[in-house]
Amino acid sequence: MIAAELVKRGYVKLKENELSVNVPVFTKDQNQKMNDILESAALRIADEAEKLSDTVTGILKNHLPTHLKKLARDLAYLRLFEDAISAPVAELFDRKYLLPHNISDILL
């Protein structure tokens, strides 16, 4: 029953009575290599976001209602985090490396 559901949802492939995993699976070494590849880019993005933090905070302070001005730095951080995540994800989506999900297809 569980295998049939995994096949139905695409997590497992059934070919000639054999099941195979249809999701990325990394060894510890492969995961470390991927982290090594992404680390420099992630650090550059974080450095750029840090440089922009004061500017974004200032802009927000000029446009936020008075009762929210004390949250300007936190909101700037959230905004920069959103940009740092959403821009690369959008690019991966556009290049079809990421595909949209249907919440009903997620195994719970």
Side-chain angles (χ1 to χ4, degrees):
M1 173 88 164
I2 293 174
E5 187 65 23
L6 291 172
V7 170
K8 177 182 171 190
R9 293 184 181 214
Y11 292 103
V12 173
K13 286 188 175 190
L14 175 62
K15 185 177 180 183
E16 298 176 13
N17 288 329
E18 289 187 14
L19 297 172
S20 61
V21 177
N22 191 35
V23 296
V25 177
F26 300 104
T27 65
K28 184 176 181 180
D29 288 340
Q30 289 170 326
N31 188 58
Q32 185 58 52
K33 285 179 185 177
M34 185 169 56
N35 288 339
D36 292 345
I37 290 168
L38 297 175
E39 182 178 21
S40 66
L43 290 174
R44 284 196 315 259
I45 290 169
D47 287 344
E48 290 301 316
E50 185 64 34
K51 290 175 191 174
L52 293 171
S53 182
D54 289 338
T55 301
V56 174
T57 299
I59 291 168
L60 288 173
K61 282 184 178 179
N62 287 330
H63 293 89
L64 285 171
T66 303
H67 68 283
L68 294 178
K69 289 186 189 266
K70 64 184 176 207
L71 299 174
R73 176 147 310 274
D74 294 336
L75 293 171
Y77 174 82
L78 290 173
R79 180 66 218 194
L80 290 166
F81 180 80
E82 155 74 19
D83 289 344
I85 299 300
S86 64
V89 167
E91 185 67 26
L92 290 169
F93 179 79
D94 289 344
R95 293 181 183 203
K96 306 288 188 240
Y97 290 108
L98 294 176
L99 300 174
H101 77 278
N102 180 341
I103 195 67
S104 65
D105 288 340
I106 301 298
L107 292 177
L108 300 175

